[in-house]
Amino acid sequence: MNKYKKHIFICINKRNDSLQKKSCGDLGLEIRNKFLEELKKENLTYRVRSNKSGCLGTCNFGPTVVIYPEQIWYRNVKLEDVSEIVKETIINNKILNRLLLK
């Protein structure tokens, strides 16, 4: 079995609506599914793993996506960002500063 070159962690933690605190929740799951679709389209499913994650501790900045081994943290990711993340960060190793959690 080949080891994955990169891992993408997407927070799907959903908070109780009464807490009035932001969470990644359902949108995180949609983002994760979009990553699966884009990785398959780029024929990367055997080199890059897309994982659901519990809370990453960045609720105010969610949905949060973390890419390892580079330790890139993206915040406020939207569905329309996924294709660009795959093409620019996963394939071309470029950081998208507009999404970077600093």
Side-chain angles (χ1 to χ4, degrees):
M1 178 178 165
N2 293 333
K3 292 183 181 177
Y4 293 105
K5 301 287 185 200
K6 296 181 189 255
H7 283 83
I8 306 167
F9 296 94
I10 303 103
C11 179
I12 63 164
N13 187 56
K14 184 171 173 79
R15 296 194 182 284
N16 184 326
D17 292 334
S18 67
L19 293 178
Q20 296 182 348
K21 189 173 182 181
K22 195 172 182 180
S23 70
C24 301
D26 296 330
L27 184 54
L29 189 56
E30 289 180 47
I31 290 169
R32 194 272 179 148
N33 291 337
K34 182 72 173 168
F35 267 107
L36 291 174
E37 180 183 308
E38 291 295 319
L39 292 171
K40 185 175 181 179
K41 186 166 59 173
E42 296 291 340
N43 198 29
L44 294 170
T45 55
Y46 294 104
R47 291 183 280 159
V48 180
R49 175 86 176 155
S50 174
N51 292 79
K52 294 181 276 188
S53 169
C55 184
L56 293 166
T58 56
C59 305
N60 291 333
F61 303 103
T64 302
V65 171
V66 183
I67 301 168
Y68 279 94
E70 295 88 351
Q71 300 181 40
I72 299 167
W73 287 64
Y74 286 146
R75 50 124 182 99
N76 199 27
V77 175
K78 296 175 178 48
L79 280 171
E80 54 268 21
D81 297 322
V82 174
S83 179
E84 183 181 12
I85 292 170
V86 169
K87 287 182 175 116
E88 295 300 323
T89 304
I90 301 301
I91 295 173
N92 294 317
N93 294 311
K94 294 181 182 174
I95 292 176
L96 302 174
N97 286 315
R98 68 180 175 76
L99 295 175
L100 198 59
L101 178 63
K102 299 177 183 174

